[in-house]
């Protein structure tokens, strides 16, 4: 048998193709994590039928000369028959063209050498036994636990990674362990192996080191470094699959600690502020036609504190629809303008920008001379030089020129990119992000990265009942609509498309519906009800007219695309129905739901997924049934979709969270566990 693992060397070669995985230094090869392990320790040498899914590893000699041919469908195949120690026989089929494989099998037959195969299970077929989904196992793997690596399709094969690590992994361990520890536990004493581990790091390590492996004494950093090396070695050269999995979990948790430290360091990397002298906000508050809630006052005071600091503000304002977010950021913006600063309020739509513009000037007419609504850029139209309170969409950012902003509000932050937000911070602009449901990346920075958050309590006595319907229940949906209409309430129906389509997407989704299709069906089903539609393909004047008719009661049921996700404020809108609900994210659905019962009472949000929809999508929609708290929705959304990339320069706002560990992204459970360990250790 060939030596296993191959002879190790202390000289590290260039990474070669492994650099395509994102590695920059040779020792980082040890930070490539396997996907799993194959247990080749105990091959069967006699054969009997087994259940599907009960993976088997077999050995034997090739009883007859290998047969090369084709299946009935013309697929190339190689067939061999193994003979076990008890003379039982097992047929193995390998598919595809592989001349080297076939030549090796013929050679092994001629030499009566033992060969090894792995398969899904052994199935009887007539008088023969067949190994299903067979793969040949190289003989050096026999008797070992072998890690499996993912590779990168078309760039680097799993076998290339495996061969590299089996040869060089021990030489990689010192550098890899040090890099991992420096990111996970950035203690100053780490450079001295004879120094004691500090109390905070020790508290975190206790969440990683099994109790039976701990002596109770305070270890030296050198001991910890050696322990991490051993864990990395066990990942790649495990004695058992269980040992490999346990070591892989330890390394994954260390990687999660590194991600948390990167996220937490973002607050310290904020720029120096351009502005730190806002005027008192209390005079502006007394001009409002309503009283501020306790949570609104607290949020304003928190923002004012940030504005007086030398570093730029990076705060998130979270509150459900109707909690008064606009009043909080408008008062804060007005205090900056009163103090001589310049402000931009960015909103997700021009319609919402118009609404906020009107509200601010209605509250404070004296700001008329310094306030400008900035619409889509037009040739020859510049922002007036005296305008210091700018309100518009992201188009506003492209029209600023050399103008410096003291303070920027981003309303509905999920509509803007990480790059747009980070650029403002780099320029010394205070930043307040406003949302009902933070995007996963922001939620992770709030929970794990020390990004400060101000939360608003809802102060309208509303209750929204969210229900998830399937196709057989849709009669109940119409019954609910009739009940709402009998109470003289408005009904909103949201569709994913504005018009009928015969695209491939529609064919794949089965019953994907459009506003225009729905309008015909609804008018037929409710002939005595005034029904209209609005969508992005209509001219602004047409949309405004349709919305006005809906607002004043001329229209009772309005069909729309998701353009109503933000900014719609209808007093008597008490029911929203979302068709093909799985097409929307949780954030968008919560925003749509927020249009209901704006002024109190019991409202309804009915979710109608497509006829063909997977269980993961139904589980996601169930989140909305279980909670109406936008912050909790955001937290559950983060857990379902992933936190995204938490590094400062990153753009991914959801999905997998990369770390110093290659091949295994950070699972949310590890982020949560390690954050809890950090908190406990710091007490």
């Amino acid at each position: 048998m060939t030596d296993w693992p191959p002879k190790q060397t202390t000289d590290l070669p260039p990474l070669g193709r492994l650099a395509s995985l994102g590695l920059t230094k040779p020792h980082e090869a040890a930070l490539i994590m396997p996907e799993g392990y194959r247990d080749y320790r105990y091959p069967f040498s006699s054969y009997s039928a087994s259940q599907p899914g009960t993976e088997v590893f077999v050995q034997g000699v090739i009883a007859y000369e290998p047969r090369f041919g084709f299946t009935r469908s013309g697929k190339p195949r190689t067939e061999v028959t193994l003979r076990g120690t008890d003379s039982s026989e097992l047929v193995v089929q390998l598919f595809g063209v592989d001349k080297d494989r076939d030549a090796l099998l013929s050679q092994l037959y001629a030499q009566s050498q033992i060969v090894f195969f792995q398969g899904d299970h052994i199935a009887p077929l007539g008088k023969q036994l067949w190994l299903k989904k067979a793969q040949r196992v190289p003989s050096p793997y026999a008797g070992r636990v072998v890690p499996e690596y993912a590779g990168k399709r078309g760039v680097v094969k799993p076998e290339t990674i495996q061969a590299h690590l089996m040869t060089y992994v021990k030489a990689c361990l010192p550098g890899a362990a040090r890099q991992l520890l420096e990111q996970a536990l950035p203690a100053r004493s780490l450079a001295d192996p004879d120094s004691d581990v500090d109390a905070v790091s020790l508290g975190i390590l206790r969440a990683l080191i099994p109790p039976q492996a701990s002596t109770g004494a305070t270890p030296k950093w050198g001991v910890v470094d050696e322990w991490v090396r051993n864990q990395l070695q066990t990942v790649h050269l495990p004695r058992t699959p269980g040992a490999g999995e346990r070591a892989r979990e330890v390394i994954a948790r260390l990687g999660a600690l590194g991600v948390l430290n990167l996220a937490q360091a973002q607050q310290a990397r904020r720029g120096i502020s351009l502005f730190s002298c806002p005027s008192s906000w209390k005079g502006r508050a007394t001009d409002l036609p309503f009283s501020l809630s306790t949570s609104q006052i607290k949020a304003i005071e928190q923002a004012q504190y940030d504005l007086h600091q030398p570093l730029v503000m990076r705060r998130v304002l979270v509150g459900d629809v109707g909690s008064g977010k606009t009043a909080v950021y408008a008062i804060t913006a007005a205090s900056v303008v009163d103090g001589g600063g310049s402000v931009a309020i960015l909103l997700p739509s021009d319609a919402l920008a118009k609404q906020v513009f009107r509200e601010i000037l209605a509250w404070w007419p004296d700001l008329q001379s310094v306030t400008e609504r900035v619409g889509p850029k037009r040739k020859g139209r510049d922002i007036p030089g005296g305008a210091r309170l700018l309100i518009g969409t992201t188009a506003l950012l492209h029209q600023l020129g050399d103008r410096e902003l003291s303070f920027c509000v981003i309303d509905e932050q999920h509509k803007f990119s990480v790059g747009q937000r980070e650029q403002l911070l780099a320029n010394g602009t205070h930043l307040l992000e406003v949302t009902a449901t933070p995007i996963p990346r922001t939620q992770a920075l709030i929970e794990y990265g020390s990004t400060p958050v101000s939360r608003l309590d809802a102060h309208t006595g509303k209750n929204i009942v969210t229900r998830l319907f399937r196709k057989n229940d849709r009669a109940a949906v119409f019954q609910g609509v009739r009940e709402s209409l009998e109470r003289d309430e408005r009904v909103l129906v949201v569709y994913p498309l504005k018009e009928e389509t015969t695209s491939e997407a529609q064919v794949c989704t089965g019953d994907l519906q459009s506003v225009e299709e729905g309008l015909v069906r609804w008018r037929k089903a409710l002939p005595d009800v005034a029904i209209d539609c609005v969508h992005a393909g209509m001219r602004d004047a047409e949309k405004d007219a349709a919305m006005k008719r809906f607002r004043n009661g001329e229209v009772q049921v309005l069909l729309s695309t998701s353009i109503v996700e933000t900014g719609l404020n209808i007093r008597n809108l008490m029911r929203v129905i979302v068709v093909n609900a799985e097409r929307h994210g949780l954030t968008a659905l919560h925003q749509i739901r927020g249009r209901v019962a704006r002024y109190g009472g019991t409202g309804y949000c009915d979710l109608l997924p497509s006829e063909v929809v997977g269980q993961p999508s139904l589980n996601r929609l169930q989140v909305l049934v279980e909670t109406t708290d936008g912050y909790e929705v955001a937290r559950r959304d983060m857990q379902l979709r992933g936190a995204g990339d938490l590094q400062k320069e990153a753009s991914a706002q959801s999905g997998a969270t990369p770390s110093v560990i290659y091949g295994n992204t950070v699972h949310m459970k590890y982020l949560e566990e390690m954050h809890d360990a950090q908190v406990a250790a710091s007490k």
Side-chain angles (χ1 to χ4, degrees):
M1 181 180 294
T2 305
D3 289 340
W4 185 270
K7 185 178 180 180
Q8 292 282 319
T9 176
T10 58
D11 298 323
L12 283 174
L15 288 167
R17 290 186 180 274
L18 269 64
S20 67
L21 301 176
L23 281 65
T24 59
K25 300 173 184 176
H27 70 256
E28 291 177 343
L31 299 175
I32 302 173
M33 291 294 103
E35 290 187 312
Y37 299 92
R38 293 287 187 182
D39 191 349
Y40 296 137
R41 291 177 297 168
Y42 310 111
F44 291 109
S45 56
S46 61
Y47 318 123
S48 59
S50 62
Q51 294 295 320
T54 55
E55 196 170 272
V56 292
F57 175 48
V58 299
Q59 70 175 35
V61 296
I62 301 177
Y64 314 106
E65 189 170 346
R67 296 177 291 278
F68 311 108
F70 299 89
T71 64
R72 293 181 180 178
S73 61
K75 188 177 182 179
R77 72 175 174 190
T78 297
E79 185 176 294
V80 297
T81 300
L82 298 187
R83 179 173 292 139
T85 53
D86 61 352
S87 297
S88 59
E89 293 186 351
L90 179 65
V91 180
V92 178
Q93 285 189 332
L94 304 171
F95 299 96
V97 176
D98 189 333
K99 293 182 180 179
D100 292 339
R101 176 200 66 196
D102 293 346
L104 176 61
L105 290 173
S106 295
Q107 178 183 345
L108 293 172
Y109 162 70
Q111 296 173 352
S112 298
Q113 293 289 316
I114 293 177
V115 292
F116 302 90
F117 289 93
Q118 170 200 332
D120 178 74
H121 67 289
I122 296 175
L125 185 63
K127 295 182 179 181
Q128 293 180 309
L129 293 173
W130 293 69
L131 182 63
K132 296 296 183 179
K133 299 180 181 179
Q135 298 179 31
R136 193 183 74 83
V137 176
S139 58
Y141 291 3
R144 314 290 178 183
V145 175
V146 179
E148 290 191 310
Y149 301 90
K152 191 172 182 180
R153 188 176 180 87
V155 178
V156 56
K157 294 180 179 180
E159 296 82 2
T160 302
I161 298 174
Q162 191 171 64
H164 184 97
L165 282 165
M166 294 306 99
T167 305
Y168 302 109
V169 68
K170 290 185 178 179
C172 294
L173 295 178
R178 176 53 59 92
Q179 181 174 341
L180 192 55
L181 275 172
E182 286 176 347
Q183 291 197 19
L185 301 167
R188 292 181 181 177
S189 57
L190 183 58
D192 182 3
D194 294 324
S195 62
D196 289 340
V197 174
D198 62 283
V200 173
S201 297
L202 183 59
I204 296 172
L205 283 168
R206 284 177 178 148
L208 291 167
I209 303 175
Q212 61 270 27
S214 176
T215 62
T218 301
K220 307 292 185 183
W221 275 114
V223 174
V224 174
D225 183 61
E226 183 179 1
W227 177 72
V228 174
R229 292 188 199 187
N230 289 336
Q231 296 300 309
L232 281 168
Q233 178 168 321
T234 302
V235 164
H236 300 289
L237 301 172
R239 293 184 178 276
T240 67
E245 293 291 354
R246 288 190 293 274
R248 191 165 62 141
E249 285 198 5
V250 168
I251 300 304
R253 287 181 170 88
L254 286 170
L257 276 170
V259 169
L260 291 174
N261 289 325
L262 284 173
Q264 290 155 5
Q266 289 196 34
Q267 278 295 93
R269 290 201 300 263
R270 292 170 296 159
I272 302 300
S273 67
L274 293 173
F275 176 88
S276 59
C277 11
S279 295
S280 173
W281 59 274
K282 294 183 179 179
R284 291 294 181 186
T286 58
D287 293 335
L288 294 173
F290 50 83
S291 298
L292 295 172
S293 68
T294 301
S295 63
Q296 285 177 303
I297 292 172
K298 181 179 179 181
I300 294 169
E301 290 176 339
Q302 289 170 331
Q304 292 291 315
Y305 175 83
D306 291 350
L307 288 171
H308 283 91
Q309 303 309 305
L311 295 180
V312 294
M313 170 201 294
R314 174 64 180 274
R315 180 170 289 275
V316 181
L317 175 63
V318 178
D320 281 322
V321 174
S323 60
K325 298 188 295 292
T326 303
V328 171
Y329 69 67
I331 286 177
T332 307
S335 73
V336 172
V337 172
D338 291 341
S342 59
V343 177
I345 299 176
L346 303 182
L347 298 126
S349 69
D350 194 49
L352 191 54
K354 291 178 183 177
Q355 178 179 311
V356 171
F357 177 77
R358 289 193 298 265
E359 286 181 338
I360 288 178
L361 293 186
W363 294 337
W364 306 301
D366 63 296
L367 292 178
Q368 177 79 52
S369 61
V370 295
T371 304
E372 181 76 12
R373 188 184 68 80
V374 182
K377 188 173 182 180
R378 294 182 177 85
K379 186 177 180 180
R381 181 179 177 182
D382 296 323
I383 300 174
R388 291 187 292 112
L389 177 53
L390 309 176
I391 302 172
T393 63
T394 47
L396 188 158
L397 292 177
H398 303 293
Q399 301 180 53
L400 289 174
D402 296 331
R403 183 188 298 253
E404 292 182 336
L405 292 174
S406 308
F407 176 51
C408 183
V409 176
I410 297 180
D411 197 352
E412 301 306 339
Q413 53 124 224
H414 62 284
K415 300 289 186 179
F416 301 87
S417 71
V418 173
Q420 287 171 319
R421 300 196 293 271
E422 295 296 339
Q423 184 60 45
L424 291 168
L425 292 171
N427 292 338
T429 302
H430 293 289
L431 179 61
L432 179 64
E433 301 177 74
V434 183
T435 183
T437 49
I439 55 178
R441 182 178 186 272
T442 298
Q443 185 70 24
L445 291 176
I446 290 171
E447 295 200 24
Y448 312 130
S450 301
T451 294
V453 59
S454 298
R455 294 184 62 181
L456 300 181
D457 300 324
H459 51 260
T460 56
K462 67 177 179 180
N463 173 44
I464 301 179
V465 178
T466 304
R467 300 178 294 184
L468 180 59
F469 291 92
R470 300 308 303 272
K471 186 174 182 181
N472 294 337
D473 302 325
R474 297 193 179 188
V477 175
F478 274 95
Q479 179 60 32
V481 170
R482 293 186 182 95
E483 292 173 358
S484 291
L485 295 176
E486 289 174 1
R487 293 190 294 266
D488 197 27
E489 297 171 350
R490 309 286 178 269
V491 177
L492 174 68
V493 187
V494 179
Y495 284 88
L497 303 173
K498 69 177 183 179
E499 59 189 11
E500 186 174 0
T501 177
T502 55
S503 69
E504 183 178 349
Q506 182 180 0
V507 174
C508 293
T509 53
D511 59 340
L512 192 61
Q513 299 178 47
S514 71
V515 169
E516 294 185 355
E517 290 175 283
L519 186 61
V520 174
R521 296 174 183 175
W522 279 89
R523 284 177 172 171
K524 184 177 180 180
L526 301 171
D528 299 327
V529 177
I531 304 174
D532 207 344
C533 73
V534 61
H535 55 71
M538 298 168 63
R539 294 192 298 271
D540 287 346
E542 292 176 319
K543 287 187 286 188
D544 290 344
M547 294 304 300
K548 183 178 180 180
R549 291 192 295 272
F550 188 48
R551 188 175 290 108
N552 63 25
E554 295 176 51
V555 169
Q556 297 164 287
V557 178
L558 182 70
L559 278 55
S560 173
T561 56
S562 58
I563 61 169
V564 299
E565 179 185 330
T566 57
L568 181 66
N569 190 357
I570 306 295
R571 177 171 291 276
N572 208 26
L573 176 57
M574 304 302 287
R575 185 181 298 272
V576 62
I577 301 167
V578 186
V579 182
N580 303 124
E582 80 285 353
R583 301 274 296 181
H584 302 274
L586 287 180
T587 295
L589 288 169
H590 185 68
Q591 289 288 336
I592 293 170
R593 175 169 66 178
R595 303 304 108 195
V596 171
R598 287 291 299 269
Y599 297 90
T602 299
Y604 297 88
C605 176
D606 298 337
L607 304 176
L608 278 71
S610 303
E611 182 176 354
V612 180
V613 62
Q615 191 60 45
S617 293
L618 293 175
N619 293 342
R620 181 169 56 86
L621 295 176
Q622 185 65 27
V623 171
L624 295 168
V625 176
E626 295 171 0
T627 181
T628 57
D629 182 342
Y631 195 81
E632 177 64 17
V633 169
R635 192 184 69 81
R636 299 276 292 274
D637 191 29
M638 177 186 69
Q639 292 174 333
L640 288 170
R641 292 202 288 153
D645 194 338
L646 301 185
Q647 299 179 75
K648 182 179 180 181
E649 299 79 10
S651 59
Q653 303 193 63
S654 63
T657 302
S659 73
V660 68
I661 309 301
Y662 300 93
N664 276 42
T665 54
V666 178
H667 292 290
M668 290 304 308
K669 70 173 184 176
Y670 295 144
L671 285 175
E672 292 174 357
E673 287 175 8
M674 292 299 96
H675 181 258
D676 290 345
Q678 284 182 329
V679 172
S682 62
K683 290 181 178 179

